[in-house]
Amino acid sequence: FVRCLRHIWCPPGAWIGLGYALAHLGFADLAKSAFARAVAATSKSINPTDRIEALIAQATANLRLASRCLLDSSEFEAATAHGEEALRCLTNAYELCGACGIAPDPRMLCMLAEIVFYEGDVERAEVLAKRAMDVASAVRQNGS
């Protein structure tokens, strides 16, 4: 794994895996960097699902950092910046799904619903959450 990461180009999945491991260990900033490397690595990938997965992972890290910043009232601006970055990543992933004819990832739809809910658009959040449930149900029924 370490040898793979030392190469200039390694599979995006390696960076995503490392990012999730770092996040689990509490190293949110390092996880965010690993996810950013995953997004950069997908520029050479012909598989759009690699980029979608990397963008979702990067959004996850940003939302985690935003929620951590919200615990300290003096960090509101940082929380807002992380939230905006997460929204940008999720929007890019959602648009990529549409452009490639891929069903959106339920995680992405749930995170978008949460962000939209906190922005005050409850109806849109409900639509996104229902869509996430429909996509997850379809995946479960198809077994893929």
Side-chain angles (χ1 to χ4, degrees):
F1 191 74
V2 172
R3 193 172 3 149
C4 179
L5 294 174
R6 286 189 181 139
H7 291 284
I8 293 172
W9 188 90
C10 73
W15 288 111
I16 292 170
L18 177 62
Y20 280 125
L22 289 166
H24 180 72
L25 293 171
F27 299 108
D29 291 325
L30 290 174
K32 184 180 173 186
S33 296
F35 293 140
R37 291 284 301 262
V39 171
T42 60
S43 65
K44 297 178 183 178
S45 176
I46 59 170
N47 186 355
T49 56
D50 286 345
R51 185 161 186 84
I52 292 166
E53 181 65 32
L55 286 165
I56 291 170
Q58 190 174 28
T60 302
N62 276 295
L63 286 176
R64 185 175 221 180
L65 286 168
S67 58
R68 193 170 74 185
C69 289
L70 285 174
L71 295 174
D72 182 358
S73 60
S74 66
E75 296 285 328
F76 183 75
E77 289 179 16
T80 302
H82 290 304
E84 288 172 354
E85 177 66 17
L87 183 58
R88 186 192 60 77
C89 291
L90 293 169
T91 301
N92 287 345
Y94 189 81
E95 289 171 353
L96 187 57
C97 286
C100 296
I102 300 170
D105 189 298
R107 295 170 301 161
M108 172 182 55
L109 294 170
C110 286
M111 285 188 273
L112 280 169
E114 182 179 4
I115 291 170
V116 168
F117 175 79
Y118 285 117
E119 288 178 344
D121 192 348
V122 177
E123 292 82 19
R124 190 165 153 221
E126 186 178 1
V127 168
L128 287 166
K130 285 181 180 177
R131 178 90 193 274
M133 286 178 46
D134 292 344
V135 171
S137 294
V139 168
R140 187 173 179 210
Q141 288 175 355
N142 293 335
S144 54

